[in-house]
Each structure stands twice: as structure tokens, then as C-alpha cells.
Amino acid sequence: MTTPPALLIAGHGTRDDAGAEAFRAFVRELGRRRPDLPVAGGFIELSPPPLGEAVAELVERGVRRFAAVPLMLVSAGHAKGDIPAALAREKERHPGVSYTYGRPLGPHPGLLRVLERRLAEAVDPSWDPTEVTVLLVGRGSTDPDANAEVFKAARLLWEGRGYAGVETAFVSLAKPDVPGGLDRCARLGARRIVVLPYFLFTGILPDRVRTQTEEWAAAHPEAEVRSADVIGPEPELLDLVLERYEEAVKGDVRMNCDSCVYRIALPGFEDKVGLPQQPHFHPDDDGHHHHGHGHSHSPSHAH
């Protein structure tokens, strides 16, 4: 019987120790879920362990094939460029190793169910959903395709659930920001607002969302504002990562290329078309236990 490829989880990284540990605990839980698979996880920046160390760990365990799944909600520059470039570098460091690359998580129905639970936990049970406006807050990106994915998640969350509306905002790099999104909700007549962070785990940015929400609420006593929790290591998230793993192993990976700034000249982003991708330099990844160094790679790997 052929040994299935190992599972490598690629995370973004955070300066928040609790957020980084949540990722590491999630990787350990995946390993418990699938004892038949070698499982490892690493970050492309900010937190240990670096992705290169996770690959080295798998290689030391005898792994020659693995499937990499980006633990990210949207396909922005990290999922499209940084991680594939880092994986190409690891392939050079470890001759004979092969891998397939899965797709980001996306607004999967399982995650939408978790978001619905987070909303239910945050609202007053006496509130009528038709009087509740939700503000879904994403990370924010310089990639318009990634920002559009957050709007898609908001629309899918709205459909069929009876809320007054689901608006969208971003905590960094894109408009509207959190106060701007709350202003928009108020201008639309919202009196009961739940701010829902579109983040997997706790961290600096979800904390910033909560702080900005509290500041806005203090300045607008006429509105009832609640903050919901992040998605967290729910069973649905574990199931979805394993689903993305199976897709990658079977070669059934369907990436969106129609609005990718590395392939299509979108207004204001024309300079990104065909741009070579470089792996992030992770401060903990000195490469001393490998040979070779990272090189730039064309974006053809991205999809």
C-alpha cells in the first residue's frame, strides 16, 4: 500500500504569542485526527517555526512527498506568491522531495456555519435577526481579488439567514476601515450591530478590530454594538483543511485566475503582471541545516 503524502500547513505568522500557539495547537490536533499522516506546520514570517523548519522536520521523518495547505481564508499575495516561492526554495534544499499545493480555505459552508455560531454567541437572545446588521471585518490586502473574497463571504453569510444586512470592512491596507464600516452601517439605519472578525485565530489584528469597535461604540451610544469572536479551531476548520489536503493529493485544485493581479492587468495594478515571486525571509530560517538558498521564481506556480 502506498504511503499517502504528508500534510504541511502553511501559516501567515503573527506577533501575538497566543495566536501563534493557537496555530501550533491546531497543527497538533490535525496530527491526532490523522495518525496515519505525518503532519507539520510553519509560518512564512513573524512566528516560529518557519516553514523551512517544518519541511526539514518532515524530511527527517522520511517524507518524500507532501501536500501543502495554506491556512488562510483568502488567496492574497501570501497564498499566491510567498508560499509557492518558499516551497520552491525547499524543493531546491531537499532534492528528491516533491509536493502539491492546495488552495486557501475560502468562504466554505462549514466556515459560514462557524461564523453563524459566533454571531449567535454575540447577540442578545432577545434580538430579532431582521434588526441586526453584521459587519464582517477581514484582514485587508493590496490584492483586490483577496478583498473581493471577503465581500463574497459577507454575501454568502447574509443569504438565507435573515439579518438586516452584512456589510464589509478591513482592519488594514484596504477601505473601508472598521470605523468607516460602522459609520456605513449607521447611515443605513442600523441600531444593532455585530462586528464579526473574519480571522481564524486570535492575534494583533483581531484585537485591533475589537478595540476600534469599542471606541466607535463609545462615541455612538445610540447604537447597540457587540463584538463576536474569531473562528477558532472548530471541527469544521479541521474538516476543511483535510478536505483541501485531499483535493491537493488528488490534483483537484481549482484556483481563481480570472482576477489575479499576477496574470491580469487590473486597473491600478498593471505593474504586478508577470512579477517574479520571492519567498519571505523568515528571521528564524537560517538554512544552516540545508544546502542552497532561495531564488526568485516566476508566478506560474501561483495557480
Side-chain angles (χ1 to χ4, degrees):
M1 181 176 164
T2 309
T3 306
L7 170 57
L8 175 70
I9 305 297
H12 177 278
T14 173
R15 291 185 179 87
D16 181 80
D17 291 340
E21 180 51 36
F23 170 91
R24 292 187 288 262
F26 183 78
V27 172
R28 291 193 293 270
E29 181 58 31
L30 278 168
R32 284 191 285 271
R33 273 273 193 116
R34 288 292 301 268
D36 58 315
L37 289 181
V39 179
F43 298 102
I44 55 172
E45 61 179 356
L46 301 175
S47 339
L51 197 62
E53 188 176 303
V55 173
E57 175 195 326
L58 290 175
V59 171
E60 285 160 12
R61 292 164 68 180
V63 167
R64 309 308 289 165
R65 297 184 304 138
F66 65 86
V69 175
L71 197 68
M72 296 173 184
L73 288 166
V74 300
S75 186
H78 293 303
K80 291 176 180 176
D82 299 328
I83 295 173
L87 293 173
R89 176 183 60 195
E90 294 310 311
K91 196 169 187 300
E92 291 181 1
R93 287 175 167 177
H94 303 282
V97 167
S98 63
Y99 66 88
T100 54
Y101 184 44
R103 59 179 170 143
L105 304 175
H108 189 276
L111 293 189
L112 293 171
R113 285 196 298 273
V114 179
L115 292 174
E116 192 173 8
R117 284 207 300 275
R118 295 292 174 258
L119 287 172
E121 292 161 3
V123 301
D124 188 306
S126 67
W127 288 6
D128 182 339
T130 62
E131 298 176 352
V132 175
T133 298
V134 179
L135 182 64
L136 185 71
V137 181
R139 174 183 293 274
S141 172
T142 55
D143 184 336
D145 182 44
N147 295 331
E149 283 286 302
V150 183
F151 275 83
K152 180 178 180 179
R155 182 71 207 191
L156 288 169
L157 185 62
W158 189 11
E159 293 280 356
R161 289 180 173 83
Y163 295 108
V166 180
E167 296 298 316
T168 309
F170 302 95
V171 73
S172 64
L173 300 173
K175 295 291 185 183
D177 58 13
V178 175
L182 286 163
D183 287 343
R184 176 175 168 79
C185 292
R187 285 197 299 272
L188 290 169
R191 288 292 172 267
R192 289 173 169 166
I193 305 168
V194 180
V195 177
L196 178 62
Y198 194 43
F199 287 83
L200 293 174
F201 304 125
T202 186
I204 302 291
L205 294 181
D207 288 348
R208 187 181 301 165
V209 173
R210 187 176 287 267
T211 299
Q212 291 179 352
T213 298
E214 290 169 355
E215 290 170 351
W216 189 92
H220 297 79
E222 72 281 1
E224 291 185 84
V225 185
R226 300 285 178 89
S227 288
D229 284 333
V230 295
I231 290 169
E234 294 292 290
E236 289 92 341
L237 182 58
L238 290 156
D239 291 343
L240 176 53
V241 169
L242 292 171
E243 186 178 319
R244 292 288 181 260
Y245 164 81
E246 296 293 345
E247 285 177 358
V249 168
K250 293 172 183 172
D252 181 28
V253 178
R254 293 151 289 173
M255 299 292 274
N256 168 35
C257 297
D258 294 336
S259 52
C260 172
V261 289
Y262 300 112
R263 292 175 177 267
I264 308 298
L266 298 180
F269 297 87
E270 294 86 353
D271 61 323
K272 288 184 180 270
V273 176
L275 199 65
Q277 300 303 300
Q278 304 240 11
H280 263 300
F281 172 72
H282 195 296
D284 297 319
D285 183 7
D286 58 13
H288 70 272
H289 50 285
H290 311 294
H291 66 274
H293 300 282
H295 301 279
S296 70
H297 297 270
S298 75
S300 60
H301 58 258
H303 296 282

